[in-house]
């Protein structure tokens, strides 16, 4: 697997997918966050993967078009932990939607 970095966009190669989602489940706490900088399916996947790794997260759905990331967790998440995960993916958590 190779990694491509492009300062202006993660989509420099045009190889991005779209609609990266993890099934949203009805049980648990649902929180919607606003994230800036997502432009494509690759971005959605990067944010979803990092946030999914947080303890207690059962599902994540990131939508680049709206900048919204819907997270379902067993209990309310620490917003700073979510911010750190989004930052690790290379994007900025604006706050809750």
């Amino acid at each position: 697997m190779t990694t491509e970095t492009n300062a202006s966009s993660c989509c420099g190669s045009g190889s991005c997918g779209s609609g990266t989602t993890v099934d949203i489940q009805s049980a648990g706490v649902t929180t919607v966050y606003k994230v800036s900088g997502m432009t494509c399916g690759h971005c959605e996947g990067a944010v979803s993967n990092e946030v999914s790794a947080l303890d207690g997260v059962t599902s994540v759905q990131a939508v680049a078009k709206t900048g919204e990331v819907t997270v379902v967790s067993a209990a309310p998440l620490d917003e700073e932990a979510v911010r750190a995960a989004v930052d690790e993916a290379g994007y900025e958590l604006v706050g809750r939607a």
Side-chain angles (χ1 to χ4, degrees):
M1 184 170 143
T2 61
T3 303
E4 180 176 327
T5 304
N6 183 326
S8 63
S9 171
C10 67
C11 299
S13 67
S15 63
C16 295
S18 64
T20 300
T21 62
V22 176
D23 289 336
I24 299 295
Q25 299 178 10
S26 59
V29 177
T30 301
T31 308
V32 180
Y33 298 96
K34 290 294 282 186
V35 174
S36 68
M38 294 190 302
T39 59
C40 66
H42 172 76
C43 301
E44 294 168 342
V47 171
S48 293
N49 287 338
E50 290 296 333
V51 175
S52 292
L54 296 174
D55 286 340
V57 172
T58 57
S59 67
V60 179
Q61 179 181 29
V63 180
K65 184 176 180 178
T66 62
E68 292 185 345
V69 178
T70 304
V71 181
V72 179
S73 56
L77 297 174
D78 174 45
E79 191 164 324
E80 288 308 309
V82 176
R83 184 176 308 281
V86 170
D87 184 61
E88 182 67 26
Y91 304 92
E92 181 182 355
L93 179 68
V94 177
R96 292 183 185 201

